[in-house]
């Protein structure tokens, strides 16, 4: 409903395709992205090319600014990682960043925290490293009744 209210001129099928694509792509490993895009293109042949991903230029500019201030390279792929992490956290309360070492996992979430603190309007964002073996499963993930 929120997508349709935000863009009343777009078709519902186009908004459905965009939602499926934009909410699922950040969760997929690189090898599966090609397969997933192919499936979407087959299912939504009429609207696939006419529905680009919705982008928040102000947020991306804030990310680029923080990346530059942190003496990191503001490459398009790194900016995309941070934007994808933002998209995941907009719909979930918790995510796990899994990849081989050197893939910018730590830099991506730390950059996002800095953007939230300074430009994102979410207030001061802090984090604390913990040893997952030092706490119970319920303390780490929450209690299930």
């Amino acid at each position: 409903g929120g997508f349709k209210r935000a863009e009343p001129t777009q078709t519902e099928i186009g908004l459905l395709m965009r939602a499926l694509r934009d909410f699922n792509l950040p969760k997929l490993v690189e090898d599966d992205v090609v397969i997933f895009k192919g499936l979407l293109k087959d299912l939504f042949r009429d609207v696939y090319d006419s529905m680009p991903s919705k982008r928040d230029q102000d947020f991306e500019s804030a990310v680029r600014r923080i990346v530059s201030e942190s003496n990191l390279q503001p490459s398009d792929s790194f900016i995309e990682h941070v934007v994808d992490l933002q998209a995941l956290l907009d719909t979930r309360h918790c995510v796990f960043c899994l990849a081989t070492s050197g893939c910018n996992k730590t830099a991506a979430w730390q950059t996002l925290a800095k953007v939230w603190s300074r430009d994102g309007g979410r207030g001061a964002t802090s984090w604390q490293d913990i040893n997952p073996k030092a706490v119970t499963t319920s303390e780490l993930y929450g209690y299930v009744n």
Side-chain angles (χ1 to χ4, degrees), residues 40-115:
L40 285 179
K41 201 167 199 170
D42 288 345
L43 291 171
F44 300 99
R45 186 169 296 129
D46 297 336
V47 294
Y48 185 82
D49 294 323
S50 65
M51 293 297 293
S53 295
K54 191 159 176 121
R55 297 180 65 180
D56 183 349
Q57 298 297 335
D58 293 336
F59 178 72
E60 289 184 31
S61 296
V63 171
R64 285 186 189 282
R65 189 169 46 257
I66 296 295
V67 167
S68 295
E69 290 173 7
S70 301
N71 295 320
L72 298 172
Q73 293 292 322
S75 68
D76 290 340
S77 63
F78 182 73
I79 303 299
E80 185 179 344
H81 285 294
V82 177
V83 169
D84 287 347
L85 184 57
Q86 166 74 32
L88 287 171
L89 288 170
D90 279 344
T91 57
R92 289 162 180 75
H93 72 278
C94 175
V95 296
F96 289 89
C97 298
L98 304 173
T100 58
S101 84
C103 289
N104 298 315
K105 299 177 298 291
T106 302
W109 68 258
Q110 287 178 348
T111 299
L112 181 60
K114 289 176 185 176
V115 171

Side-chain angles (χ1 to χ4, degrees), residues 3 18-27 87-88 91-92:
F3 286 147
R18 180 191 285 164
L20 287 170
R21 182 190 60 213
D22 293 352
F23 286 120
N24 288 299
L25 278 180
K27 296 185 280 183
L88 287 171
T91 57
R92 289 162 180 75

